[in-house]
Amino acid sequence: MRQRGPGPGPGGVERWALRLLAALLPPPARDAELGDLEERYRETAERTGRRTARRWLLGQVLRSVGPALVMRWRARRDESTRTEGGMGMDRIRMDLRFALRSLRKSPGFAALAVTTLGMAMAVTTAIFSLVSGVFLVDLPIADPDRTAFVWAVHQDAPGVAQELTAADYLDLTTDLASAERVGAMEPVQWVLTGLGDPERVVGARVTPGFFEVWGVSPFRGRGLTEADLAPGAPPVVLASHGFWQRALGGDPDVLGRTLTLDGTPHTVVGVVPPSMEFGGLDAELWGPLRLRAAGASRTAHTLMTTALVAPGATLAQMQAEVAGRWEDVRSTHPAETRDWTVRVRSTQDSLLNDSARAVLVLLGIVVSLVLLIACANVANLLLARGAGREGEMAVRAALGAGRGGLVRQLLVESLILSVGATLLGLVGSDRLLAFLQNLTEGADSLFFLAEIDTTVLTFTGVVALLAPLVFGLYPALRASRADVADQLRRAGGSVGRPGRVRSLLVGGQVALAMVALVVGGLLVRSVVGLQSLDSNYRQEGILTASLLRPAAAQPGDGFFVDLLERLPEAPGIRAAALVSELPRNPAPGQLVEVAGDDAMEERRQASITAVTPGYFDLLAIDVVQGRTFLRTDGAASLPVAVVSRAAAAAYWPDGPAVGGRLRLGTDSTWTEVVGVVGDVRLNQQGVGIPHIYRPLAQEPHRTSMTLVADVAGPPAGYAAAVRGVVSRLDPGQPVSDVLSLEASVFRSNAAGYGVITLFLLFASFALVMATAGIYGVVSFSVAARIPEFGVRMALGAPPAQVRRMVLRQGAGVVVGGTLVGLVGAYWASGLAQGMLVGVGARDPLTYGGVAALLVGVTLAASWLPARRATRVDPVRALRAE
C-alpha cells in the first residue's frame, strides 16, 4: 500500500511491534519507553512519511528485543524452582546454551547456514508481501462481497479489463435493477497554482454514488452530493489525506480553503481518509463528475465503474442484466461497439488481470523453489556436520542421553539458525522491496502494493518455525542414531561416505535450479526483445519534458508554437518538437473509416498521436512514402495525416497509402494521407500496430504534450534551461518528468524490468546453491574415499582415471536432477508465456543453454575435489587409515 502521508497514529504493524515490545519490557520501564517510542514515531511520520517512520520503529524494536529477552531470561532463571516445570525450563535453557556454544565453535558453518537461509527468507518474505498486498489488501470497501465492477473487454485482449466509455456507462447503469447504487471514477490532471511553483496534480472526478458504493466516509468535512453537479454550482474538491499533509501542511482549518485548479478557484469541502491511498490509486484531489447523455463519448474508455449489488440479487444476475443492455447498445451503435463486450467482476477478480495473476502465481512457484533449494543446502550442511559429530553424539549417548534429547538438542540448533536467518531475511526483504519500488518509481507497478505488515510478519514467523523441521529433522534423526560401540571404537577415525540422501538432496537442488534457470533464461531473452522494440527510433541525446496546459488556457493559444521558437535560442538545444504520446506510451484510440469502404463494420480503432513538424526527423523515424508535416499544415489548411507502415498495409493493402483518405472518430470531414513512416509501436511479437499521426495545429483540443529536444550533451544538464524558457513564456505553466528519452523508455518498461529482476535474482541464487551443493557432496565424498584412492594409485591407477571417477559422481547427480528439472521447467515456462517478448515458452535454445550451463557448473564444482583426489600420497593415506 503506497502511502503519501502519515496516518493519524501507529497502524496495525506499528501496534503489533509496540505490543511485542510491551510484552518483553519489565513493567517499571514499560509505559515510559512505549510512550517515548510512540511520540518519536509520530514526529518521524509527520516529517518523513509513514513508510519511513514504520521502518524506523521496526528498527528500534529489533534493537530492543535482544536486551529485553536477556533481561526476561535472567529474571525467569532467578525465579525458577526445582519443580517439574522448572526442570523443563532448565532443560530448554540448557539446550539453548549448548546450541549457542556449539554454533560458536563453528562460526563458519553458522554464518554460511544463516546467510543461505536468510537470502531465501528475504525473497520469500518480499514476494509474500506482494501477494498479500494484492490478494489480501485491506481495500477501502465496506462490503467487498457485494461490490462489483463493470469492465469493457476487447476481443484482441480478452484478459485485460478496460474502463467504460461515458455513453456506455449511462446506457448500462441507469436504473440498474440488480444494483443498489452505482458510481464511476475518471482520472484527471489539473494544474495547481498558488501554492508555490505551478504543479501538475493527479486527481479523479467521481459521481456522488462512488463513495457511497464503497462505503467511504470523509476523514474531515463532507463528501460530494448531487447539488455539486447542478449547473452553476460552485466548484468544490476533496483533498486526499496525503495531499492534505504534504501540500497543505495538515491544516486543521482546511475546510473552506481555496485551491486554484486550471485557473479556477475550487473550495475544499472535505478530506478523503488515508485508506483511499492504495496501490495505483494515487489521486490527490477528488472532484465531482458531471455526465450528460448529450455529447457523451462512446470511444474514450475512461470510467472505472463500480456497483453495489442490491439485496437479494447476485453477481450473476447483474452480469445477465448488463449483458442484455449491452446487446441493445450494440444493435444501436454497431460501429463503435464492434469487437467489444462487457463483464461484471467481483472485487477480488478486478484487482488483477489474467496476465498479472499468472505472474504472481509464477513468482510464488519460483520463490518456493528458492526456499526449498536453500533448505536442501542447509540440510546438506547439517548432514555433513552431523557426520563429523558422530563421535560426539556417541559419547553423549554413552553418558545416558536419550535419542529424544539428542534430536531435541539438534533441532534447537536448527531453530536458532532459522531465527537468525529470519531476522536477516526481514532486513533483506525490506531493502529488496525498496529497490524494486525505486526501480519502478513513476510507473504503474505492483510493487507499491507490497508492505511488511502484520500478515507478512505472521507468515514469516510460521516459516521460521517450520523451516527447521524441513532442513533439520532428518539430519537430527540421522545424527542421533549413531552406533555407540562402533563410534567409540573408531574414536576419531574417518567419517563415513556421504550416502544416498545427500546425493538426492543435491539432485533435487539441481532439478529446482533447472526450473528457475529456464524461466530466468527466457526472461533474459525477453529483455533483449524489449530492447529491440525500442530500437527503431533514436533515443540517445534526447531530452523529454511533460507539459500540461491549464483548462483555462484557450485552445491553440500559441504557447506551444512560441515554445518551439524560443527553445533553440537556449545554449545546447539544437532542435525541438512536441508529441502527445512518446512511442512507448499508450495513445488514445479512435474509430477509423477508410474512403472506399462501404460497410460500416470495416471501421476499426487506431492509435492517434499529435506531433509538430520536425518530430520524425528529430527521432530519426524513417519516411517510407510521401512527406511529413510542414508549417503550412495549419488549422485553416486541408486536414492531413501521416500513417505508420502497419496502418498503410492494413488500410490500403492493394495500393499506395499516400493520397488515401480517412475519417477519424465522429468527424464528418475527410483527412488526406500525405506520408507513410516506419513503425515505432510494436506488439510483443515485434509486429507493427496501426498508428496515425496528426499535426498539432489541426488538433487544438490537445492540452497535454511532451517536449522532445535534441541536446548537445547529457540531457539531464538541460532541465534548468527548459524550465527557464517555459517560465518566461508562462509563469503558471508546470513542467514535470524532465528526463532523457532513454530513461522515459525504461520507466515505461519499469514494472516488467522489476519482475524480471526478481526472476533473475532467484535463478542466480538457485545456481549458486546448486553449485555449492554439488561441490559439497563431491568434496565430502573425496575426503571419505582418500584411503580408497590411495590404494588405487598405489596399485598403479593413473591420476586421470581417479579424476574421471570423481567427475562421474558429480555428473550422475546433475544429469538425474536435470532430467527431472526439464519436466518442471516445461510446465513452469508455460505460465511465463504472457511475459515473453520475441521468444517462445518452449524455446529449445534456452533449454539447451541452461542444460549446458548446469553441465559446466558440475565440471567446475567437481574439478577441484577431483584434483585434490589425485594429489593423495598413497603411503600417508594408508598409514592414516
Side-chain angles (χ1 to χ4, degrees), residues 272-455:
V272 176
S275 59
M276 288 298 292
E277 300 169 25
F278 69 96
L281 187 60
D282 53 359
E284 293 195 304
L285 295 172
W286 301 76
L289 175 62
R290 297 176 176 89
L291 295 175
R292 298 288 183 268
S297 172
R298 203 171 290 277
T299 59
H301 291 262
T302 59
L303 297 186
M304 186 185 79
T305 304
T306 182
L308 188 65
V309 179
T314 64
L315 206 65
Q317 290 174 337
M318 182 179 290
Q319 171 65 50
E321 185 178 4
V322 169
R325 293 191 176 195
W326 181 248
E327 291 303 318
D328 295 337
V329 173
R330 293 188 65 176
S331 63
T332 309
H333 307 279
E336 293 88 341
T337 59
R338 182 172 179 260
D339 300 331
W340 287 92
T341 186
V342 291
R343 294 284 185 271
V344 177
R345 294 184 177 179
S346 66
T347 301
Q348 193 64 54
D349 289 341
S350 299
L351 283 173
L352 287 178
N353 58 35
D354 295 340
S355 175
R357 194 181 301 274
V359 169
L360 285 180
V361 170
L362 188 60
L363 275 173
I365 291 172
V366 173
V367 79
S368 299
L369 298 182
V370 169
L371 186 58
L372 287 175
I373 289 173
C375 287
N377 216 353
V378 175
N380 252 330
L381 291 173
L382 289 172
L383 283 172
R385 187 166 182 259
R389 299 176 67 187
E390 288 179 352
E392 173 196 340
M393 295 295 108
V395 171
R396 296 187 65 192
L399 294 177
R403 189 179 181 191
L406 296 178
V407 171
R408 186 183 67 247
Q409 169 64 55
L410 295 175
L411 284 179
V412 168
E413 292 185 16
S414 299
L415 180 61
I416 291 175
L417 294 175
S418 180
V419 170
T422 300
L423 294 176
L424 180 63
L426 284 173
V427 176
S429 64
D430 184 73
R431 294 294 88 202
L432 176 60
L433 287 174
F435 166 74
L436 293 171
Q437 289 167 356
N438 290 334
L439 179 70
T440 56
E441 179 72 31
D444 183 14
S445 173
L446 288 174
F447 296 111
F448 289 103
L449 293 171
E451 189 174 36
I452 308 297
D453 57 12
T454 308
T455 303

Side-chain angles (χ1 to χ4, degrees), residues 22-33 72:
L24 296 173
L25 289 173
R30 181 180 302 163
D31 294 338
E33 182 76 16
R72 194 90 167 184

Side-chain angles (χ1 to χ4, degrees), residues 223-246:
L224 300 174
T225 65
E226 292 292 341
D228 297 322
L229 303 178
V236 297
V237 70
L238 278 74
S240 71
H241 188 275
F243 181 85
W244 175 50
Q245 293 286 330
R246 177 184 66 83

Side-chain angles (χ1 to χ4, degrees), residues 3 15 56 59 80 105 121 129-130 140 165 222 249 252 346 354 508 559 581 610 636 698-699 725 752 774-775:
Q3 296 285 353
R15 289 194 297 270
W56 171 84
S80 65
K105 291 180 180 178
M121 291 291 289
S129 67
L130 176 61
T165 67
R222 67 171 178 89
S346 66
D354 295 340
F559 170 80
E581 293 85 22
Q698 296 181 359
E699 296 264 322
V725 172
I774 293 169
Y775 175 82

Side-chain angles (χ1 to χ4, degrees), residues 362 366 369 510-526 759-760 762-764 766-767 817-818 820-833 836 839-854:
L362 188 60
V366 173
L369 298 182
V510 172
L512 298 175
M514 180 74 184
V515 176
L517 285 169
V518 166
V519 173
L522 292 172
L523 293 175
V524 167
R525 299 197 63 193
S526 290
F759 279 109
L760 294 183
F762 300 156
S764 302
L767 180 62
T818 300
V820 175
L822 281 172
V823 178
Y826 186 86
W827 172 75
S829 59
L831 296 175
Q833 181 65 63
L836 303 181
V839 61
R842 319 299 186 200
D843 178 51
L845 181 61
T846 302
Y847 281 75
V850 170
L853 177 63
L854 285 175

